[in-house]
Amino acid sequence: MANRPTTPAKGRGASLNLEGRFETVRREVFDDDWDTDAGEVKPKTQVAEERARSIISRNSSPDVPFEQSINPYRGCEHGCIYCYARPTHAYLDLSPGLDFETRLFAKTNAAQLLREELARPGYRCSPIALGANTDPYQPIEREYGITREILQVLAEFEHPLTIVTKNAMVERDLDVLVTLAEKNLVQVWISCTTLDHAIARKMEPRASAPRRRIETLRKLSEAAVPCGVLVAPVVPFLTDSGIEDVLSAAAQAGAKSAGYVLMRLPYEIKVLFKDWLEHHFPLKAQHVMSRVRAMRAGNENDPNFGSRMRGQGLFADLLKARMDNACRRLGLNRERAALDTTKFRPLARDGQMNLF
């Protein structure tokens, strides 16, 4: 049985700290007749500085729209209960539950490594995605500033990139983003699951409030930084009814593009999400999981390329039709220009351009 606080921790997504699938030890909760309840559990965020060996990750998945990505941090303090990256903490012998959002790792040498990797002979320029696994603008970015350092290196090399975030902190870097945008080197995507503040506060406890994310889209648009909205993930029977509201608010704020991803529940996330549902939405829990299975060919998760992002069946088809119709009505996705890879300057490691 997984180790669980008596009540969900305030400001945290997971109420479980279950073992990762690679651990050899299992913990069990039992009553020893001692009154040890000291009140509400408030786990603190712990950050370990990490010297990474490499910084650019390569991807060959056919349904992911990028070949390269950078994750400045491991773990994510936003605490989104549905986060598909949670199982990666199991490789560190840590829990995909509370550990994922409280025991974080900062790659303090990320900018240095990026400069070295971009300067290597034979490097092929392809847009780099920031925020592929964990949010590059999670709260600890205020202290560490690793994402900003990465942006500055990419701007120096005139290297194209995309950003996905749930945090309004991206506004801090508008000075760099504007410079990149003037050269068609950046696109920013704001992920907004719902406009319902009560749901978002439970589901994404340390991300920016939904309306604040919409305001970020407005500021990006006013600064002429290409931006779009990701309704991601869509949680059946919980957030899917508000899709059109999110798209409409984003379009009014200046977003030009939109996309969506159906919620995925790989590995330990299935247990975490169902426990979260029972805590916060007990009357809807069975309905949500029933709809999930209806859109996943009877399963709680679908790992297959082509269907894992969109789902299958009647409800999945209806979801796609709703998205397509709303985007067409709101003028979203009319144009989606590719980022410019021709401006890339292969500087030497000392910042000087190569002679040949």
Side-chain angles (χ1 to χ4, degrees):
M1 183 176 180
N3 188 15
R4 150 215 290 277
T6 55
T7 58
K10 184 178 180 180
R12 299 296 182 182
S15 56
L16 293 175
N17 211 32
L18 74 170
E19 299 84 357
R21 59 195 181 283
F22 303 117
E23 291 189 47
T24 58
V25 177
R26 291 291 181 267
R27 298 182 291 274
E28 182 176 350
V29 176
F30 67 95
D31 185 0
D32 59 3
D33 291 328
W34 287 90
D35 184 11
T36 57
D37 185 6
E40 185 180 19
V41 178
K42 295 183 179 180
K44 295 182 179 180
T45 300
Q46 303 175 53
V47 184
E49 296 185 358
E50 175 183 10
R51 302 290 292 179
R53 296 182 179 179
S54 62
I55 196 60
I56 300 178
S57 300
R58 266 73 185 189
N59 165 68
S60 59
S61 301
D63 53 1
V64 176
F66 55 83
E67 297 177 352
Q68 303 188 120
S69 63
I70 292 177
N71 294 293
Y73 304 99
R74 292 205 275 184
C76 186
E77 196 176 3
H78 281 164
C80 304
I81 188 60
Y82 49 70
C83 182
Y84 61 82
R86 283 182 177 273
T88 60
H89 248 43
Y91 293 101
L92 305 174
D93 286 332
L94 294 172
S95 172
L98 279 171
D99 282 352
F100 178 79
E101 52 195 280
T102 59
R103 299 184 63 179
L104 313 178
F105 297 82
K107 301 176 184 179
T108 53
N109 62 334
Q112 172 192 341
L113 285 176
L114 177 60
R115 183 180 297 279
E116 293 174 355
E117 292 189 33
L118 295 182
R120 286 175 182 168
Y123 173 80
R124 185 176 66 86
C125 180
S126 175
I128 290 176
L130 298 183
N133 217 35
T134 58
D135 201 308
Y137 287 101
Q138 59 179 288
I140 61 172
E141 167 65 13
R142 290 189 183 92
E143 176 182 354
Y144 286 91
I146 298 173
T147 297
R148 182 172 176 83
E149 292 176 355
I150 290 171
L151 284 181
Q152 291 170 331
V153 172
L154 292 173
E156 183 180 350
F157 279 76
E158 297 192 36
H159 194 293
L161 71 143
T162 61
I163 297 172
V164 177
T165 182
K166 284 182 167 67
N167 203 310
M169 197 193 312
V170 68
E171 296 171 11
R172 178 201 64 186
D173 296 332
L174 271 174
D175 57 333
V176 183
L177 296 175
V178 167
T179 299
L180 289 164
E182 290 172 348
K183 302 175 183 179
N184 188 28
L185 294 175
V186 68
Q187 293 176 347
V188 179
W189 294 83
I190 300 298
S191 177
C192 189
T193 313
T194 177
L195 294 184
D196 188 317
H197 182 78
I199 294 177
R201 186 176 57 211
K202 296 180 176 71
M203 192 163 59
E204 307 156 340
R206 298 201 175 193
S208 295
R211 292 291 177 181
R212 185 65 183 87
R213 297 180 221 176
I214 298 298
E215 181 60 25
T216 295
L217 281 171
R218 188 180 310 281
K219 292 185 178 181
L220 289 167
S221 178
E222 290 173 350
V225 176
C227 56
V229 64
L230 284 177
V231 188
V234 175
V235 183
F237 214 84
L238 190 61
T239 68
D240 56 351
S241 62
I243 289 173
E244 288 83 358
D245 293 336
V246 173
L247 294 175
S248 179
Q252 291 177 27
K256 301 301 182 184
S257 305
Y260 78 101
V261 177
L262 183 65
M263 182 179 66
R264 298 164 53 198
L265 297 175
Y267 304 113
E268 298 91 344
I269 303 179
K270 290 189 289 291
V271 178
L272 292 167
F273 182 74
K274 288 188 287 187
D275 178 79
W276 177 85
L277 274 176
E278 291 293 343
H279 275 304
H280 296 288
F281 299 96
L283 298 181
K284 290 187 175 183
Q286 291 186 10
H287 297 290
V288 172
M289 294 310 301
S290 175
R291 184 63 57 85
V292 167
R293 289 188 288 270
M295 301 175 78
R296 295 296 189 189
N299 302 310
E300 293 179 340
N301 185 58
D302 175 8
N304 297 314
F305 294 140
S307 58
R308 62 175 183 160
M309 301 295 189
R310 297 289 186 260
Q312 305 177 60
L314 175 62
F315 291 117
D317 293 342
L318 288 173
L319 176 61
K320 182 179 184 303
R322 287 175 58 195
M323 283 289 303
D324 291 344
N325 290 337
C327 288
R328 185 164 48 250
R329 173 173 55 84
L330 295 167
L332 295 167
N333 296 333
R334 287 181 178 174
E335 297 180 4
R336 188 174 290 186
L339 296 176
D340 190 350
T341 59
T342 65
K343 293 185 174 68
F344 172 66
R345 300 186 301 162
L347 305 179
R349 295 188 182 189
D350 59 2
Q352 298 296 317
M353 295 184 67
N354 293 325
L355 181 59
F356 300 105

